[in-house]
Amino acid sequence: MTKSELQDLAQLLKALGEYNRLSLVYQLCGCKTPENAMCLCACCSVDASVTSRHLKALAQENVVKMEKRGRERLYSLNRSAVSQKLRALADAIDHSRQ
Amino acid sequence: MTKSELQDLAQLLKALGEYNRLSLVYQLCGCKTPENAMCLCACCSVDASVTSRHLKALAQENVVKMEKRGRERLYSLNRSAVSQKLRALADAIDHSRQ
DNA sequence: TACATATTTGCGCATATGTGCAAATATTCC
DNA sequence: GGAATATTTGCACATATGCGCAAATATGTA
């Protein structure tokens, strides 16, 4: 694990480690199709601008994918990318004792 | 997933989502026996007091276990507890679409 | 007792972060 | 074009966070 990889992983965990952002992720977990920000906004009781910023932060860490449709933005989880990183960390914690 | 569980998970991810704390965790990953704080401190280039606080934060989130031996404190990873939570999140992200 | 070692705590400081509001932007619909 | 809807951006603010230093505490050792 290089320093840069560790920094990236820390950034990912930090993005997930905020209650409203994690709520958005869990909300997206149950969506089979991409959802727009206003719909996602409903799950956390914050201003739409805050949700917008949280989704942007999640997109920057590649947790969610954003696509434009008309005047709305549709968000979906990058499921495998995120779960792979979480499992890799779990594996390291579980059995990397040498 | 209750609100309280989600808050707890967010707290755990926040604890892991800081570079120096994650470095400590990775350092502990490779330890087969508990290590003291000064030894762990070496892996991140910060003051001992900072390491002390980071280890305290990790202990509060039950990431590490602390035991006293003489004048030193020995830390070890709560491996299964942490990896289980990470895998549960990975599972939710992977295949909870209904 | 005196000193060394390991760790924590108090303090101040700089910066990051989460938030709401209002305004701006973009796009659709009438 | 003008109103409505969806989202972003600028701003200000309060709080949280990470950090180093110095002092305090705890414990082992000469």
Side-chain angles (χ1 to χ4, degrees):
Chain A
M1 175 74 70
T2 69
K3 174 172 180 174
S4 163
E5 286 171 330
L6 205 59
Q7 285 172 332
D8 286 351
L9 180 56
Q11 288 279 97
L12 170 66
L13 295 168
K14 178 177 284 187
L16 295 173
E18 198 276 332
Y19 176 69
N20 285 320
R21 280 196 297 269
L22 191 58
S23 300
L24 288 168
V25 169
Y26 258 85
Q27 186 80 359
L28 280 167
C29 275
C31 300
K32 41 186 176 199
T33 56
E35 292 290 339
N36 68 52
M38 286 305 93
C39 169
L40 295 167
C41 182
C43 81
C44 36
S45 54
V46 290
D47 194 77
S49 66
V50 174
T51 301
S52 171
R53 274 185 267 253
H54 281 323
L55 287 168
K56 185 180 178 183
L58 291 171
Q60 270 171 350
E61 290 306 318
N62 205 37
V63 174
V64 301
K65 183 164 62 79
M66 188 267 281
E67 49 185 317
K68 303 172 77 164
R69 187 182 65 185
R71 64 190 155 199
E72 57 188 3
R73 306 294 153 89
L74 301 182
Y75 292 91
S76 54
L77 273 182
N78 283 325
R79 297 183 190 264
S80 58
V82 178
S83 64
Q84 266 175 24
K85 287 173 189 165
L86 293 173
R87 290 214 173 82
L89 176 57
D91 287 347
I93 289 174
D94 253 349
H95 52 64
S96 85
R97 69 206 94 176
Q98 58 256 23
Chain B
M1 175 75 70
T2 70
K3 174 172 181 174
S4 164
E5 286 171 331
L6 204 59
Q7 284 173 332
D8 286 351
L9 180 56
Q11 288 279 98
L12 170 66
L13 294 169
K14 178 177 284 186
L16 295 173
E18 199 276 332
Y19 177 70
N20 285 321
R21 280 196 298 270
L22 191 58
S23 300
L24 289 168
V25 169
Y26 259 86
Q27 186 80 359
L28 281 168
C29 274
C31 301
K32 41 186 177 201
T33 58
E35 293 291 339
N36 69 49
M38 286 304 95
C39 169
L40 294 167
C41 182
C43 83
C44 36
S45 53
V46 290
D47 194 77
S49 66
V50 174
T51 300
S52 171
R53 274 185 267 251
H54 280 323
L55 287 168
K56 186 179 177 186
L58 290 171
Q60 271 172 348
E61 290 305 319
N62 206 38
V63 175
V64 301
K65 182 165 61 83
M66 188 265 281
E67 49 187 318
K68 303 173 77 162
R69 188 182 63 185
R71 63 189 156 198
E72 57 188 2
R73 307 294 155 88
L74 301 181
Y75 292 91
S76 55
L77 274 183
N78 283 325
R79 297 184 190 263
S80 59
V82 178
S83 63
Q84 266 175 24
K85 286 173 190 166
L86 292 173
R87 289 210 175 84
L89 176 56
D91 287 346
I93 288 174
D94 253 350
H95 52 65
S96 86
R97 69 204 93 177
Q98 58 258 23

